[in-house]
Amino acid sequence: QVQFVESGGGLVQPGESLRLSCTVFGMTVSLSMMRWYRQTPGKQRELVAAFPDSGDNDGPVTKDRFTISEDNDKNTVYLQMYNLKPEDTAVYYCNTPTNSDRHIWGQGTQVTVSS
């Protein structure tokens, strides 16, 4: 079974940056299909980043402050976040459309932005 392991979250102050990592285990995955999502209790999960090829990361949040990248040798994708704001506080997940549709998710990594 495929597994997604997110890491790199933590407590940061507004304006700071943070890089999240997501390593895929269990099978070979086309990293170009990977996306980053975030979710806060009581709110819907939202897409925050996708590779430029898809155009899914061209929103007001992902375009300006989030950057997605990959390392194929490590089977890992990254989310570089800049100028973090309190509203960015959430649990961040990585996934593919196929596995998200099958309700297969990792534990996520908590990002808390607060002074």
Side-chain angles (χ1 to χ4, degrees):
Q1 180 66 270
V2 63
Q3 290 180 269
F4 303 102
V5 181
E6 300 93 343
S7 63
L11 174 63
V12 297
Q13 296 183 347
E16 295 185 344
S17 62
L18 197 64
R19 189 183 74 163
L20 307 182
S21 299
C22 168
T23 302
V24 183
F25 298 90
M27 65 177 64
T28 300
V29 175
S30 176
L31 298 183
S32 64
M33 296 299 297
M34 297 294 298
R35 283 96 169 87
W36 282 96
Y37 305 82
R38 69 184 179 190
Q39 187 169 31
T40 299
K43 300 176 63 178
Q44 289 186 276
R45 179 177 56 249
E46 64 175 322
L47 176 70
V48 297
F51 282 96
D53 313 80
S54 67
D56 290 337
N57 65 338
D58 198 28
V61 176
T62 60
K63 181 179 180 180
D64 296 334
R65 299 189 294 110
F66 294 175
T67 301
I68 189 171
S69 62
E70 65 178 287
D71 186 333
N72 289 297
D73 292 335
K74 297 181 179 180
N75 215 33
T76 298
V77 295
Y78 305 93
L79 181 67
Q80 180 66 57
M81 303 182 290
Y82 306 92
N83 191 25
L84 286 164
K85 303 177 180 180
E87 53 263 42
D88 294 320
T89 296
V91 178
Y92 285 73
Y93 303 88
C94 60
N95 216 325
T96 64
T98 296
N99 286 288
S100 63
D101 287 345
R102 296 175 178 174
H103 307 288
I104 300 175
W105 297 87
Q107 293 294 308
T109 183
Q110 176 72 50
V111 173
T112 301
V113 185
S114 177
S115 60

